[in-house]
Amino acid sequence: MPVFQELIHDVQGQAINVCSMFLLLSSFAIVAQRSLASCVSLYAMQSFFLGFTAMVVANASGVHHLYFAAALNFLIKAWLIPRILHRAVDRLNVKREVEPLVNIPSSLLICGGLMILALYFSQPIKQIGPLLTNDSLALGLAIVFIGCFIMISRRKLVTQIVGFLTVENGLFLLATAITYGMPLIVELGVFFDILVAALIFGVLLHRIQDTVESARPAESRFEEVGEVAP
Amino acid sequence: MNLLAALLGIPAGAAVLVLLPFPIAVVGRLNVLCMLATLLTAGAMVPLVLAQGTLEGLHHFLRVDALSCLMVLLVSLTSFLASFYSVGYWESQPREERGSDQKIRGYYALVNLFVMSMLVVCTTDNLGVLWVALEATTLASAFLVGFYNKEASLQAAWRYLIICSLGISFALIGVVLAFASAVSAAGFHEYALNWSYLTSIADQLDPTALKLAFGFAVVGFGTKAGLVPMHGWLPDAHSEAPTPVSALLSGVLLKCALYALIRFAILVNHGIGDNFSGSILMPFGFLSVGIAALYLFGQTQIKRLLGYSSIEHVGVITIGLSFGSPLAVFGALFHMWNHAMTKSLLFFTAGNLYLCHHTLSMQKITGSLRLTTGTGIALLVGGLALSGTPPFSIFISEFSIVSAGIQLGYWVAPLLLIVLLVVIFAGLFSQLSRMAFGLPSEDAQDHEPSASPPISSLTGWALVIPMGFIVLMGWFIPGPLFELFSEGTRIITGDVPVETSIRSWWGNVWQE
């Protein structure tokens, strides 16, 4: 029944697109959010959609190791890392993002611009990826850029971590879109690195919280010590 | 194969070994022995690599050619020196400053993991594994940077972790793009992420994708290497880390990132030709040297000064690579080695000065030639060598890079480089020599806290080997090492017969 198969194929393609759109939307939501705990929850949601996207792609392409990667996604990124971060947030004195360097409406506008930039960048590399996931490529790149923007524009250390993790999620989507995922051993290594990085971030956050009253940006240090900022 | 397993196995084993409850003095010496064993293993690989060309192992995951072998040798030698220095350094610090014995054990374990991940970076054939290992070096060294748990060191560790992890994410995009274009060009292949395979099919890869991949790789690995617009983490991390770790960060970690960049450049040049990589790398190189030259003047703290000087030298190496001619690349590889040795020497010297004066501020340290003659001499020799004065080895490598630029017919670039190097000489040597000459300041003597233990003589002995290297290698390069450099140059620049041209150039310099 070729017609039926075509229909399924179409539905799968649509499902992948919808999931990637949700991923992008949750990144925008992180940009718009000021409560630290909500940022972490939004990140968990984003990772959940990422795992779901990977599952649909695995189903559509028949690349079975993606199921495994999707499972790791649910386990590590959607459950374990948010747990670590929520604990870290509970210990903090200040639970909201202080006055961001760029206010939220203009942040959202800038992220819209980054989205267009990502579309532009992904045009020349579109043809080397498989057709099915063509559109997710630009979305993955956009999420990477938005994650970078979060890291640069926010002052709170927790938001910076969420920005970093958003970048990693964007990278995963990008890799899934362009090659149906990297070889399993590399994928495992990347997951391991992210998990260890999240743990180290958590420990450093505690230590900084202990030595400094509240987690302050690195810049303010130089004025006190009187050294030249790079 | 067995050698490769031993090379990675020894540091991994040592990381566990140092955590066992031996007395702390024993742990440090055990660690030195393990590092020595790693170094000997690396040394044993050299004749094999020179004879066979490559060593492979672990199902094509590991592959050592002359270039990797050079890096392995450099990493293991510097780690050995740093571990040797660590013993005396920790013994000479009072307990309340360095922390409990348990903390020192943790330090040794992390250093071993750090060294092991650097060795994986240098030996792996797989691009993805290389990325994972390079990120692992950041993770292993983050706590080393924040070792003292002060506000400043924790902030430095945070900055280091955030900037390097973010930067290196971009390199992963590069890796993914290279992999994707290989899969789309030649179909899925079990080793489609291996350098050796990618380079062999480089001409079939999509040029646009390759260019984009290289751009992302430059940003990513360049962050880790400390190239200028992305260097924000470097001075903080270098100045806040314990001194042996600073030597490792500056001496070899930056070189490992450059090594990754070199591998990418080889791939891109095979695929596109035209020294495309050079045209991208050159602005970064000059920007690094230029900005570092400006910032050198404003520094007040010796380890920050050395950090900025690392940015400068990474820039010089990048410029050498971007010229792309065999002589320039030879100079760049040689410069990597020289910089690692000189910078280790100077960081160890800075550590000794700190142990003696209890400060790192350059205004407060004067007259070290009179106060501690050995350290003073090391400071002078290291300062002269680092600022590129003949007859030390850094002069030779900088000279070969500049003259390669002139041979290629560039005029602006070599001249600009010379001008910048002169500025750097002024900025660096004036500050370092001020610390060596003059009378020791009064408060250096009365400041002496009675609680601190006597300074271990081991900290002095640690200076001997790097000093020997920088003095000797200004005059001649030992045979096997020379062959590694030229073989590495051949791997980077293609099938150009570099051997004869460099030998004769080398001969000419000495006849003049």
Side-chain angles (χ1 to χ4, degrees):
Chain A
M1 291 264 273
V3 181
F4 185 61
Q5 268 181 0
E6 213 166 87
L7 186 72
I8 287 196
H9 202 71
D10 204 39
V11 169
Q12 281 168 337
Q14 296 290 339
I16 293 168
N17 282 350
V18 169
C19 284
S20 328
M21 276 316 290
F22 271 116
L23 261 165
L24 186 68
L25 273 180
S26 44
S27 329
F28 271 98
I30 292 175
V31 174
Q33 186 55 254
R34 285 181 72 162
S35 146
L36 298 182
S38 313
C39 273
V40 176
S41 307
L42 279 169
Y43 165 72
M45 197 174 95
Q46 188 188 48
S47 307
F48 177 79
F49 281 122
L50 185 63
F52 202 69
T53 315
M55 256 172 60
V56 180
V57 174
N59 187 281
S61 64
V63 178
H64 290 295
H65 79 248
L66 265 181
Y67 281 119
F68 192 64
L72 279 179
N73 230 311
F74 288 127
L75 183 71
I76 293 180
K77 286 183 180 170
W79 182 69
L80 198 55
I81 293 181
R83 226 176 111 94
I84 297 171
L85 289 183
H86 270 303
R87 283 202 175 169
V89 172
D90 285 344
R91 273 199 43 170
L92 290 179
N93 304 335
V94 185
K95 300 202 193 303
R96 287 176 71 80
E97 178 67 51
V98 288
E99 192 65 20
L101 297 177
V102 184
N103 68 25
I104 286 173
S106 21
S107 294
L108 286 172
L109 272 179
I110 292 174
C111 288
L114 288 175
M115 170 83 221
I116 294 171
L117 198 71
L119 274 172
Y120 173 75
F121 267 126
S122 61
Q123 283 310 314
I125 42 174
K126 245 184 171 176
Q127 80 270 11
I128 60 173
L131 259 182
L132 185 66
T133 47
N134 238 338
D135 302 316
S136 306
L137 188 71
L139 297 182
L141 206 56
I143 294 170
V144 171
F145 289 161
I146 291 174
C148 289
F149 177 73
I150 296 174
M151 284 179 83
I152 295 166
S153 66
R154 295 306 152 98
R155 294 191 185 175
K156 281 285 164 216
L157 303 184
V158 175
T159 335
Q160 288 182 4
I161 304 176
V162 172
F164 166 69
L165 293 167
T166 305
V167 170
E168 294 291 342
N169 274 355
L171 276 174
F172 186 89
L173 182 64
L174 189 79
T176 312
I178 200 167
T179 63
Y180 293 147
M182 300 227 273
L184 190 60
I185 177 85
V186 178
E187 210 85 88
L188 279 178
V190 175
F191 272 112
F192 177 74
D193 273 352
I194 294 173
L195 182 60
V196 176
L199 283 173
I200 294 181
F201 274 130
V203 176
L204 270 182
L205 198 65
H206 284 186
R207 289 197 187 165
I208 293 178
Q209 164 90 2
D210 289 344
T211 37
V212 192
E213 260 291 294
S214 61
R216 271 183 296 131
E219 284 80 12
S220 65
R221 175 170 78 83
F222 294 105
E223 291 152 23
E224 287 166 20
V225 186
E227 281 175 323
V228 181
Chain B
M1 166 63 212
N2 291 331
L3 274 181
L4 281 172
L7 185 73
L8 302 179
I10 294 170
V16 179
L17 193 65
V18 293
L19 287 176
L20 299 179
F22 295 119
I24 203 70
V26 178
V27 168
R29 285 165 176 79
L30 260 181
N31 189 49
V32 174
L33 281 183
C34 293
M35 291 290 189
L36 184 64
T38 316
L39 177 60
L40 291 178
T41 317
M45 279 165 48
V46 176
L48 284 177
V49 168
L50 286 177
Q52 300 171 8
T54 54
L55 294 177
E56 297 200 5
L58 272 187
H59 256 277
H60 296 274
F61 267 117
L62 303 179
R63 181 171 185 277
V64 174
D65 55 13
L67 186 58
S68 332
C69 189
L70 195 63
M71 291 300 301
V72 167
L73 211 55
L74 188 61
V75 171
S76 49
L77 178 60
T78 315
S79 324
F80 167 69
L81 293 175
S83 66
F84 186 84
Y85 184 74
S86 300
V87 178
Y89 185 71
W90 293 128
E91 277 176 8
S92 315
Q93 279 198 17
R95 178 181 275 267
E96 58 269 24
E97 196 174 331
R98 67 167 157 90
S100 63
D101 285 359
Q102 204 52 40
K103 209 175 159 201
I104 302 291
R105 287 198 186 93
Y107 161 86
Y108 281 123
L110 281 175
V111 166
N112 275 304
L113 289 179
F114 181 39
V115 170
M116 189 191 75
S117 26
M118 285 197 284
L119 288 173
V120 173
V121 169
C122 302
T123 51
T124 184
D125 191 15
N126 186 308
L127 239 141
V129 175
L130 177 135
W131 185 89
V132 170
L134 207 53
E135 171 71 9
T137 59
T138 315
L139 300 177
S141 52
F143 281 132
L144 292 175
V145 171
F147 183 79
Y148 287 119
N149 266 343
K150 290 178 300 192
E151 183 189 349
S153 43
L154 287 175
Q155 299 273 22
W158 182 269
R159 223 176 213 219
Y160 173 55
L161 198 56
I162 280 276
I163 297 183
C164 284
S165 308
L166 177 65
I168 211 162
S169 304
F170 282 98
L172 188 60
I173 302 183
V175 173
V176 168
L177 282 178
F179 177 62
S181 55
V183 170
S184 85
F188 186 80
H189 189 281
E190 203 182 339
Y191 306 120
L193 260 174
N194 282 19
W195 295 118
S196 40
Y197 172 75
L198 278 172
T199 325
S200 69
I201 59 158
D203 45 350
Q204 302 167 36
L205 302 181
D206 182 57
T208 324
L210 262 191
K211 281 180 188 171
L212 263 178
F214 186 67
F216 280 119
V218 169
V219 174
F221 296 133
T223 308
K224 200 80 211 263
L227 288 176
V228 151
M230 299 86 78
H231 69 293
W233 62 274
L234 194 146
D236 282 339
H238 280 51
S239 62
E240 292 303 332
T243 300
V245 177
S246 312
L248 278 178
L249 287 177
S250 166
V252 281
L253 178 66
L254 306 182
K255 311 301 166 8
C256 285
L258 279 175
Y259 166 82
L261 203 51
I262 292 175
R263 287 289 183 190
F264 246 98
I266 296 174
L267 175 63
V268 171
N269 286 349
H270 267 272
I272 305 174
D274 249 4
N275 196 12
F276 171 78
S277 66
S279 58
I280 303 273
L281 286 176
M282 197 181 292
F284 283 100
F286 274 103
L287 206 58
S288 307
V289 180
I291 296 288
L294 293 180
Y295 274 103
L296 275 178
F297 284 93
Q299 299 309 314
T300 53
Q301 201 240 55
I302 179 164
K303 280 169 82 177
R304 274 186 90 81
L305 180 84
L306 294 178
Y308 276 104
S309 143
S310 295
I311 298 177
E312 174 236 327
H313 284 284
V314 166
V316 170
I317 296 167
T318 312
I319 292 171
L321 292 171
S322 70
F323 283 161
S325 78
L327 181 58
V329 171
F330 184 93
L333 292 180
F334 189 32
H335 199 88
M336 279 192 186
W337 184 279
N338 296 336
H339 176 242
M341 287 300 116
T342 317
K343 213 26 104 39
S344 312
L345 172 68
L346 271 173
F347 269 120
F348 297 162
T349 312
N352 287 356
L353 288 174
Y354 176 75
L355 292 176
C356 177
H357 295 263
H358 303 281
T359 176
L360 282 169
S361 156
M362 291 192 281
Q363 267 91 22
K364 292 186 186 144
I365 305 175
T366 47
S368 34
L369 267 176
R370 291 194 191 206
L371 198 63
T372 45
T373 317
T375 310
I377 292 174
L379 187 65
L380 265 187
V381 169
L384 280 171
L386 194 66
S387 46
T389 328
F392 300 108
S393 52
I394 282 193
F395 170 75
I396 306 290
S397 45
E398 283 177 351
F399 188 72
S400 47
I401 290 172
V402 169
S403 55
I406 295 174
Q407 269 178 19
L408 283 171
Y410 301 143
W411 280 104
V412 181
L415 275 180
L416 186 61
L417 185 56
I418 292 175
V419 171
L420 288 173
L421 287 177
V422 170
V423 174
I424 283 162
F425 172 81
L428 199 63
F429 189 63
S430 63
Q431 309 215 45
L432 290 180
S433 59
R434 207 184 305 143
M435 294 161 61
F437 295 117
L439 291 171
S441 63
E442 299 283 306
D443 42 325
Q445 274 96 353
D446 11 294
H447 214 273
E448 198 94 359
S450 49
S452 68
I455 295 173
S456 160
S457 63
L458 287 175
T459 57
W461 286 110
L463 304 178
V464 174
I465 300 176
M467 185 131 69
F469 264 106
I470 63 176
V471 173
L472 282 181
M473 290 197 22
W475 298 101
F476 83 110
I477 308 179
L481 213 49
F482 186 90
E483 276 177 52
L484 277 184
F485 284 131
S486 16
E487 190 56 24
T489 311
R490 199 188 59 75
I491 292 169
I492 297 174
T493 54
D495 295 319
V496 194
V498 294
E499 195 79 1
T500 49
S501 72
I502 289 178
R503 273 256 160 82
S504 61
W505 179 84
W506 211 258
N508 287 341
V509 171
W510 301 131
Q511 279 156 24
E512 275 161 21

